[in-house]
């Protein structure tokens, strides 16, 4: 079954009766900033998968030359527990941080946006959207794979992916995390925080792009697409437009 980009958050907000906030909610993603992007753990995990996609090179050009070797290495068997036991306290804390982040992106509508985040189950909306690809809450690999695939979609303006492709990326993520000693030391709370940060970024960025596309705002769609490219280039030295999404995962 094919999956499209995440529906606009305005639709989610309207469904629960907050039409005023709905008009402004897509502005979250237009800031081109990752919520929690300064978290060292998130950056480290992204860099691990970045090396996989680059083929282990230290630059985009060198990665292109050695991609086959790196992807082959990523298929090595690993044993890692990417799942975690969720704590309601962690969920409350991360949700509050995201609500603050959203409010700061649009101070004039800050209280309304904060209310929209606090009153809606955005993580549940994330899970409902990605379940078609066999992804679920409670697993860092699932959250990270969904985030990577969606940013690739936004960067390349690809509306649909299929379960086979997404599951292959999930496998790449799982193997990449298994090769990272920092990840092996994380406890359940740290894994949960990392996963939920990826989920909120997925919802915010995907909703902004979907909303711009639905409105026919080509200028904003292009800026959001370029922002996804810039985000991965600056954080991971990866050019998303040089990657292909295949039944075996990301490849050059």
């Amino acid at each position: 079954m094919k999956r499209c980009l995440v529906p606009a958050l305005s639709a989610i907000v309207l469904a629960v009766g907050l039409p005023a906030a709905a008009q402004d909610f897509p502005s979250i993603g237009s800031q081109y900033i990752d919520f929690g992007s300064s978290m060292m753990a998130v950056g480290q995990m992204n860099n691990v998968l970045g090396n996989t996609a680059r083929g282990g090179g230290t630059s985009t050009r060198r990665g292109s030359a050695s991609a086959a070797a790196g992807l082959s290495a990523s298929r090595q068997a690993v044993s890692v527990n990417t799942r975690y036991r969720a704590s309601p306290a962690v969920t409350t804390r991360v949700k509050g941080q995201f609500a603050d982040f959203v409010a700061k992106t649009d101070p004039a509508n800050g209280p309304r946006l904060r209310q929209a985040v606090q009153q809606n189950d955005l993580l549940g909306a994330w899970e409902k959207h990605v379940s078609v690809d066999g992804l679920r809450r409670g697993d860092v690999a699932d959250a990270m794979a969904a985030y990577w695939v969606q940013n690739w979609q936004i960067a390349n303006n690809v509306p649909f992916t299929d379960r086979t492709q997404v599951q292959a990326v999930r496998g790449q993520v799982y193997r990449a995390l298994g090769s990272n000693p920092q990840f092996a030391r994380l406890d359940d709370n740290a894994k949960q925080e990392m996963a939920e940060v990826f989920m909120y970024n997925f919802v915010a960025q995907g909703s902004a792009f979907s909303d711009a596309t639905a409105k026919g705002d080509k200028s904003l769609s292009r800026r959001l697409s370029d922002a996804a490219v810039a985000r991965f280039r600056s954080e991971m030295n990866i050019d998303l437009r040089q990657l292909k999404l295949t039944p075996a995962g990301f490849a050059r």
Side-chain angles (χ1 to χ4, degrees):
M1 185 178 294
K2 293 184 176 180
R3 175 177 64 83
C4 63
L5 282 164
V6 66
L9 280 177
S10 56
I12 298 173
V13 179
L14 282 169
V16 295
L18 291 173
Q23 298 175 6
D24 307 304
F25 220 76
S27 68
I28 301 170
S30 67
Q31 304 300 314
Y32 318 136
I33 300 171
D34 278 327
F35 159 62
S37 63
S38 62
M39 292 176 55
M40 184 177 297
V42 173
Q44 288 173 342
M45 295 308 108
N46 268 334
N47 285 330
V48 170
L49 187 54
N51 286 333
T52 298
R54 283 197 304 271
T58 57
S59 68
T60 301
R61 183 175 301 174
R62 185 181 303 175
S64 177
S66 58
L71 290 172
S72 176
S74 75
R75 296 189 180 96
Q76 294 176 359
V78 296
S79 178
V80 60
N81 183 16
T82 58
R83 291 194 57 75
Y84 55 86
R85 180 175 296 180
S87 163
V90 173
T91 294
T92 298
R93 174 166 53 81
V94 176
K95 187 173 188 177
Q97 292 170 348
F98 182 64
D100 290 342
F101 168 80
V102 169
K104 289 178 181 178
T105 66
D106 187 357
N109 295 289
R112 196 165 54 186
L113 294 173
R114 183 179 283 107
Q115 181 185 26
V117 171
Q118 292 287 9
Q119 292 186 354
N120 285 275
D121 182 12
L122 299 183
L123 298 184
W126 174 91
E127 186 169 41
K128 182 178 180 180
H129 183 72
V130 303
S131 63
V132 67
D133 291 320
L135 304 180
R136 55 183 175 169
R137 288 171 70 173
D139 196 309
V140 177
D142 289 27
M144 188 172 172
Y147 174 82
W148 263 71
V149 170
Q150 180 176 259
N151 269 268
W152 178 87
Q153 288 181 266
I154 293 173
N156 294 282
N157 196 24
V158 176
F160 297 103
T161 58
D162 62 45
R163 185 183 179 117
T164 299
Q165 294 169 327
V166 176
Q167 282 295 314
V169 172
R170 197 266 178 200
Q172 289 178 310
V173 170
Y174 175 80
R175 291 185 290 272
L177 294 178
S179 70
N180 188 290
Q182 288 101 339
F183 183 80
R185 291 194 291 267
L186 297 182
D187 61 15
D188 278 354
N189 286 355
K191 290 179 183 177
Q192 180 184 352
E193 181 173 1
M194 182 185 303
E196 292 183 359
V197 166
F198 276 121
M199 293 179 204
Y200 279 123
N201 280 318
F202 176 100
V203 172
Q205 295 160 9
S207 66
F209 188 78
S210 292
D211 189 74
T213 301
K215 292 177 178 178
D217 190 337
K218 294 182 179 180
S219 176
L220 178 56
S221 295
R222 184 170 54 254
R223 293 200 303 274
L224 291 169
S225 178
D226 290 343
V229 174
R231 181 184 305 123
F232 273 63
R233 182 178 291 136
S234 64
E235 293 180 4
M236 288 155 275
N237 203 17
I238 283 286
D239 187 343
L240 288 174
R241 290 175 180 154
Q242 295 298 315
L243 294 180
K244 291 184 179 180
L245 183 57
T246 75
F250 284 121
R252 289 193 179 276

